[in-house]
Amino acid sequence: MILRFFYVLATLLFSTTVAASLFDQLTLPNSLKRSQQVQYSQPYQCIQIIDEFLQAQKKDVVSEVSRVSQIREKSVTPSDLVLIKQQKSLCYFYANNTGQAVVTLDKMLAKKNHNVPLHLRQQTLLIKSHILAQSTTLANFQLAQETIDQVLSSIDDNTYNPTANGYFALKIIAGEIALKLNDYQESMTLFREAQKYAAKTPLTNNAAWAAYAIGYNYQQQNKLTLAINFYSKAQQKLLDNKDTLNGLLTKKMSQAYIAEDNFKLAISFANQSAQYYQNLGNKLQLSDSLLALASMHRKIKEYNLSLVYYFNALDLLKVFDEKNRLNTVYFEVGKTYLQMGNFSLAEQYLLNAEQLFVSNGQSRLLLEALVHLANLAIQQQHYDKALARLNKALTIAGQLNNSKNFETVYLYLATAYEETDQYAKALDSYKQFVRYNKLSNFDAKKAVPVSNQHKENNEIKSQKIDQLQAQVTKLKQAKHNLIINVFLLASIMLIILYLYYVNSQKMKLQREEVEQLEDNYNLHPNTGLNNINSLKQYIPTPLQEARFYSDWEYTDKQNSVHSCAIINLDFLQALRQKYSLSLVNKIETELGAYLLLQLNDSERLFQLNDSQLLLIRKVNKNYDPAVIANYILDLFEQFDCQLNFNKDISIGMVSHPFLFKYPTAIDSKKLLNIATLALSGATQLSQKNKQNSWVQLSALTYTQPAFFHGDIWNRSKQAIEKGLVKVTSSTDKNDINWL
C-alpha cells in the first residue's frame, strides 16, 4: 500500500532508551547512494550495486569504535551491514521478489549480533511486517501482525523508545496490517494516531501519507466520497512532488472514480499516475497504470486506444519477463478484439492466452479464456468447437466450485445446444443456469426508484416508529415491574393499581400511534393511495412471478401479462400555480378516494410521486393498449370536483414481461425505466397536440435479451431506432424525439 515507508524506514533511524541519535553514524556509505536512487526504477541494479559493495568490503568489517580512525573511515561496521541488508531486501521487494526479501531479513534476525543496536533489529522487524502485509505474491497478514507485535512488546517493556518519525511509521504499518485483516476500526484508530505523530514532523511528507492512509481505509469500506476527500487533502499536504505518494494518490483516485462510473476523471488521474511513474523510471508501476488506462478506454468503447495501452504495457512487461502478467495481457487483448468484432485476431490472442494459462496452471483465467473462445465460436457459428470448449470449461468450473462460473458456462451451453437443435440439453442447461444464478444472487435485492421528495419524510417516519417501539418496550417492562410489586407492596396496593392503569392506557395510545404511523408510511399523505413503499412490497410477487420458472415453462403456462401504465398528472402543475396549496391538496384527496372506488380485482394503483401514478392491470397478452388508455382517460374525465378544469394527463405503457419469451431477463426496476421512457414520448405528444396522449412500448416477439444489457434507457432508445421495440401511440408517433 505505502511503498515510500520502506525508504523512510531505511533512512530514518530510531532513538534507543537513551535520547542520543545515531543518524549520522548509521547513514549508508556514499558509494551506495546510487542504490537508493535506482531502488524504484531499477531494483535489480540496486541489488547488484549492493552485492558488489559487500564483495569488496567482505574482509573490511570493523567495530563502531575502530572506524573513527582515518585509516578505517571507508570500512563498514555491523550496523552498516544491517542497514545495507535492509536496503537490499527492499530492492528485492520492489522487484516483486518477496520471497528473497523476507529470506534476507530473516537471516539478519537469526544472527545474535550484540554489536548491532536494538533499534536496527526493531527496524528490520518493521520492514519484514510491512513486506508480508503488502506483497502481491507472498502476503501473510497473520505473520505480519506477529512480527510487528514483537516491536510493540519491546515498547511496552521500555526496552525500545522510537522517535516521532519512528512512531509514525510504526502506526502506519500496524494500521496497514489491520486493514488487510479487515479490521477497519482498528486500522482507522492507528492511522489517526499516526496523523498526530505526523504533526510533530512538519518538515516531512508524513501528514500527506497519513491523509492518504485514512482515505485508503475509507475506499476499502466503499465510502468513496470520504476517500476522495482525504486523497485531495493528501495532495494539498505534499511537500515533495518527487515523493512516490504522487503515483499512489493518482492511482487510488482513479480507482475511486471508476467505482463511481466517472470515467472522465478516472482516466485523467490514471494518466497522471502513468506520467509520474514514467518520469520516475519505474516500468513495473508504469505498466500497471497503462493496463488500468487500457481497461477504462475499453469500457467506454475506445478500442483502438485501449489496444495501444495494452501493447505498450506488453513491451514493458517483456523486459521484466513477468510471465503471469504477460499471459493476462494477451488475454485482455484477445477480449478487446472480440468486442471489436475482429474475430481472427481475437482467436489468435485468446488461443495464445489459453496455452499460456494451461502451462502456468492458471485455472481461473483458463476458464475465462475457454468461455470467451466459446463465445467467439458461437458468433462464428462453429457450434461444435463452442461445445467442446464449454464442456472443458465445465470441468474446470467444477474444480473451482464457484456458482458464478457455473452460471456463465451453462448460459453459453444453453445457447450452443439451442443453435444445434438439441433442445432437451438446451433446456437442461438453462435450468442449471437459473439454479446457479439464484445461488450467486441469493442476497441481491431489487431496488425501485424512490421519490427524492419523500425520502427524508420516510426516514423521519421510520425513526419515529423505532422510537415509539422502544417506548412500548420500556412500558411493557414497567408493567412487569408493577405486577411484581403488587405481591411485595400490599400496603400500597391502590397506588400500584392506579399506576398500572395509567401505564396500560399509555401503552394502548402508543400502540395505536405506532399502527397509525405504519399505515401512513405506506400511503401518500394527500391522495391516500399506496405509495412507493407499498410498490416495493407488491412488485416481487405479480411482476416477477416468472422467477420460479424457466422462460420456456413460463411462456407455455402463461397467457396473460401485466399492463403497467405510468400516468403523469399534467393538470396538477397548473392547479398548483393557480390555486392555494390547501385547495389543491383537497382535490388530490378527492381524486384518490375516487380512484380507489373505481379499481377492480385485477388492478393495482400506486402513487410513485406527487405527479405520477402507476396502474398495474392483469390482461390477455394480446390486449389492445388503446382500450387500457381510453379506460384511464375516461376514468379521469369522469372525475368530478368543485373546480372545473381540464384533466390533462399523459400515459406511458409497457407490459410485464417485456420480453415474453424471456420473462426473467428484464426485472421490475428496468421495466419501470422503460415505462418512464414511454411516458416521456407521451408527454411530448401531449405538449405538441394540446391533448391527452398515450404511448406504449412493446418488444418484438423474438427480440433477444442481450440487446438490453447495460443502461436500459439508452438501450431501449437504440432498440426503438432499430425496430426491435414497437411504438404504439394515440397520435402520430413520428412526432416523438427519442434523442
Side-chain angles (χ1 to χ4, degrees):
M1 169 184 161
I2 301 178
L3 299 176
R4 177 259 195 176
F5 285 105
F6 290 145
Y7 185 75
V8 171
L9 291 172
T11 56
L12 285 177
L13 305 177
F14 300 83
S15 66
T16 60
T17 50
V18 185
S21 172
L22 300 177
F23 180 84
D24 293 334
Q25 292 173 291
L26 299 177
T27 302
L28 288 180
N30 289 330
S31 54
L32 288 179
K33 295 297 182 184
R34 172 65 179 161
S35 68
Q36 292 177 326
Q37 293 172 1
V38 299
Q39 58 183 338
Y40 298 116
S41 58
Q42 296 173 295
Y44 283 110
Q45 185 178 347
C46 167
I47 295 168
Q48 182 181 354
I49 293 171
I50 292 174
D51 285 342
E52 290 174 354
F53 178 85
L54 291 175
Q55 186 65 31
Q57 300 291 333
K58 193 171 185 180
K59 297 181 180 180
D60 203 4
V61 179
V62 298
S63 66
E64 310 285 342
V65 177
S66 301
R67 201 172 63 174
V68 299
S69 167
Q70 285 290 100
I71 300 174
R72 294 289 190 179
E73 66 178 358
K74 293 185 179 180
S75 303
V76 293
T77 67
S79 296
D80 291 331
L81 286 175
V82 172
L83 280 171
I84 293 169
K85 291 294 181 65
Q86 288 175 355
Q87 178 64 51
K88 185 177 180 180
S89 70
L90 295 177
C91 292
Y92 274 122
F93 179 71
Y94 298 139
N96 207 28
N97 190 343
T98 306
Q100 192 59 48
V102 173
V103 167
T104 303
L105 295 171
D106 284 341
K107 285 182 179 179
M108 287 192 292
L109 292 170
K111 293 180 180 179
K112 303 296 182 181
N113 193 336
H114 299 290
N115 295 324
V116 177
L118 174 64
H119 69 275
L120 284 181
R121 180 177 178 82
Q122 307 299 62
Q123 183 169 287
T124 303
L125 290 170
L126 282 175
I127 295 174
K128 178 183 176 182
S129 64
H130 192 87
I131 289 175
L132 288 170
Q134 297 306 320
S135 170
T136 57
T137 57
L138 195 68
N140 191 329
F141 308 137
Q142 292 296 341
L143 182 56
Q145 185 65 62
E146 294 170 7
T147 305
I148 203 169
D149 283 344
Q150 296 180 45
V151 182
L152 295 172
S153 63
S154 64
I155 294 176
D156 292 339
D157 60 20
N158 294 320
T159 58
Y160 176 52
N161 182 27
T163 61
N165 268 322
Y167 266 119
F168 171 76
L170 179 65
K171 296 295 182 183
I172 285 289
I173 295 173
E176 290 173 356
I177 297 170
L179 188 57
K180 292 294 185 180
L181 294 170
N182 297 322
D183 191 344
Y184 300 114
Q185 185 174 356
E186 175 65 14
S187 171
M188 184 63 75
T189 300
L190 289 163
F191 288 154
R192 294 288 186 186
E193 291 176 3
Q195 197 174 35
K196 294 177 182 178
Y197 285 109
K200 299 178 182 180
T201 58
L203 299 181
T204 68
N205 279 335
N206 290 346
W209 279 94
Y212 165 76
I214 294 170
Y216 186 61
N217 182 293
Y218 280 128
Q219 187 173 2
Q220 292 297 93
Q221 298 181 64
N222 205 30
K223 298 177 180 179
L224 301 176
T225 302
L226 287 170
I228 292 171
N229 183 36
F230 274 91
Y231 288 154
S232 298
K233 288 181 180 179
Q235 282 187 316
Q236 295 169 10
K237 294 178 182 293
L238 262 176
L239 302 177
D240 181 6
N241 291 329
K242 295 182 180 180
D243 196 300
T244 55
L245 179 57
N246 286 278
L248 283 171
L249 267 176
T250 47
K251 181 184 293 185
K252 295 300 180 186
M253 291 185 81
S254 176
Q255 293 171 358
Y257 281 118
I258 289 174
E260 291 188 334
D261 291 330
N262 189 338
F263 288 102
K264 183 177 181 181
L265 282 176
I267 289 173
S268 174
F269 281 106
N271 274 316
Q272 293 179 40
S273 177
Q275 186 62 52
Y276 172 80
Y277 287 121
Q278 184 174 6
N279 294 339
L280 183 67
N282 190 323
K283 294 181 180 179
L284 276 175
Q285 291 292 342
L286 175 59
S287 67
D288 282 343
S289 297
L290 293 176
L291 291 174
L293 281 166
S295 176
M296 282 183 274
H297 282 289
R298 185 172 66 189
K299 285 182 179 178
I300 60 177
K301 299 184 179 180
E302 293 180 351
Y303 299 119
N304 289 326
L305 189 54
S306 173
L307 288 172
V308 169
Y309 285 120
Y310 276 131
F311 286 126
N312 285 337
L314 272 175
D315 291 339
L316 292 173
L317 293 172
K318 285 176 182 177
V319 175
F320 290 95
D321 196 25
E322 292 279 339
K323 292 183 179 178
N324 287 347
R325 296 176 69 188
L326 277 169
N327 301 348
T328 305
V329 179
Y330 286 129
F331 181 38
E332 295 299 327
V333 171
K335 287 163 61 178
T336 307
Y337 277 125
L338 182 58
Q339 291 183 28
M340 294 172 68
N342 191 331
F343 295 151
S344 60
L345 284 175
E347 185 172 23
Q348 176 183 332
Y349 277 94
L350 289 174
L351 286 172
N352 186 24
E354 178 194 11
Q355 294 171 2
L356 293 170
F357 293 152
V358 170
S359 61
N360 284 10
Q362 295 169 276
S363 299
R364 184 185 60 80
L365 289 170
L366 174 59
L367 173 61
E368 289 186 37
L370 288 168
V371 170
H372 279 80
L373 281 166
N375 179 22
L376 173 62
I378 289 172
Q379 292 188 53
Q380 294 177 308
Q381 299 183 353
H382 298 160
Y383 301 115
D384 291 340
K385 282 186 179 180
L387 288 170
R389 286 164 176 162
L390 288 170
N391 283 312
K392 187 176 180 181
L394 199 60
T395 303
I396 299 172
Q399 297 169 357
L400 297 175
N401 194 25
N402 182 283
S403 297
K404 198 67 180 175
N405 293 334
F406 279 117
E407 176 188 347
T408 304
V409 176
Y410 276 117
L411 180 59
Y412 280 109
L413 274 171
T415 303
Y417 281 131
E418 183 179 5
E419 293 294 340
T420 53
D421 298 332
Q422 300 180 65
Y423 297 113
K425 291 184 178 180
L427 178 59
D428 182 65
S429 296
Y430 195 80
K431 287 180 178 179
Q432 292 292 341
F433 160 73
V434 173
R435 173 195 168 201
Y436 284 107
N437 177 265
K438 288 179 181 178
L439 287 173
S440 61
N441 297 287
F442 183 76
D443 296 324
K445 296 181 179 179
K446 305 297 183 183
V448 178
V450 179
S451 169
N452 291 330
Q453 186 173 351
H454 295 299
K455 279 186 179 178
E456 184 175 353
N457 292 335
N458 291 338
E459 290 175 0
I460 294 172
K461 288 179 182 179
S462 297
Q463 293 174 3
K464 183 65 175 176
I465 289 172
D466 292 340
Q467 292 171 1
L468 292 173
Q469 292 283 20
Q471 292 179 27
V472 169
T473 303
K474 290 180 181 178
L475 289 170
K476 285 182 179 179
Q477 184 62 41
K479 176 182 175 181
H480 178 70
N481 293 336
L482 286 172
I483 293 173
I484 295 175
N485 289 335
V486 168
F487 298 98
L488 299 176
L489 304 172
S491 61
I492 55 172
M493 179 67 71
L494 293 176
I495 298 175
I496 294 174
L497 290 174
Y498 171 74
L499 292 174
Y500 176 75
Y501 172 77
V502 170
N503 281 321
S504 296
Q505 292 300 310
K506 286 184 179 179
M507 286 176 60
K508 182 179 179 181
L509 291 173
Q510 296 284 6
R511 192 179 299 109
E512 290 174 352
E513 188 175 353
V514 169
E515 291 174 355
Q516 184 64 39
L517 281 172
E518 287 177 341
D519 291 339
N520 293 340
Y521 182 72
N522 292 322
L523 298 177
H524 189 273
N526 293 341
T527 63
L529 297 173
N530 287 325
N531 62 11
I532 195 78
N533 302 301
S534 298
L535 179 61
K536 289 181 186 178
Q537 301 169 13
Y538 170 76
I539 276 181
T541 306
L543 287 191
Q544 292 187 10
E545 58 189 15
R547 60 185 174 168
F548 298 111
Y549 302 94
S550 73
D551 284 340
W552 288 279
E553 289 174 330
Y554 182 83
T555 53
D556 288 343
K557 294 181 180 180
Q558 297 295 325
N559 193 38
S560 62
V561 297
H562 289 85
S563 173
C564 302
I566 297 182
I567 308 162
N568 195 68
L569 307 179
D570 301 335
F571 61 84
L572 280 181
Q573 182 63 27
L575 291 179
R576 291 187 180 118
Q577 294 174 355
K578 191 174 180 180
Y579 299 103
S580 67
L581 178 62
S582 59
L583 182 57
V584 175
N585 288 345
K586 184 177 180 182
I587 292 172
E588 288 188 72
T589 302
E590 293 176 3
L591 176 62
Y594 163 75
L595 292 174
L596 285 173
L597 290 174
Q598 309 306 313
L599 294 178
N600 57 49
D601 293 339
S602 65
E603 296 175 336
R604 292 293 183 96
L605 187 64
F606 300 91
Q607 182 134 7
L608 298 180
N609 53 47
D610 283 347
S611 301
Q612 291 181 348
L613 305 177
L614 172 64
L615 176 66
I616 301 175
R617 185 176 188 182
K618 194 166 187 177
V619 295
N620 185 280
K621 68 179 181 180
N622 297 316
Y623 74 98
D624 184 356
V627 174
I628 303 293
N630 290 330
Y631 164 74
I632 296 171
L633 292 172
D634 291 341
L635 201 63
F636 279 88
E637 190 61 37
Q638 294 170 16
F639 170 58
D640 187 24
C641 66
Q642 58 182 303
L643 293 179
N644 185 20
F645 57 88
N646 293 329
K647 282 78 171 184
D648 297 332
I649 62 174
S650 303
I651 307 169
M653 289 189 287
V654 294
S655 298
H656 181 88
F658 188 67
L659 303 174
F660 194 75
K661 293 289 184 180
Y662 312 94
T664 58
I666 295 180
D667 60 25
S668 55
K669 180 179 178 182
K670 291 183 177 180
L671 183 73
L672 291 181
N673 271 294
I674 300 172
T676 306
L677 181 62
L679 178 61
S680 72
T683 303
Q684 291 182 46
L685 294 179
S686 296
Q687 293 172 350
K688 182 166 185 176
N689 299 312
K690 306 299 181 184
Q691 65 181 35
N692 295 341
S693 302
W694 60 268
V695 171
Q696 187 203 39
L697 298 180
S698 56
L700 298 183
T701 304
Y702 296 102
T703 301
Q704 295 295 318
F707 191 84
F708 293 91
H709 178 69
D711 179 66
I712 192 68
W713 181 276
N714 290 318
R715 297 296 282 168
S716 296
K717 290 194 292 185
Q718 292 172 11
I720 292 170
E721 293 173 4
K722 293 178 180 294
L724 298 176
V725 168
K726 179 181 178 182
V727 180
T728 311
S729 62
S730 55
T731 59
D732 188 358
K733 62 186 179 184
N734 293 320
D735 290 336
I736 303 173
N737 182 5
W738 295 107
L739 295 179

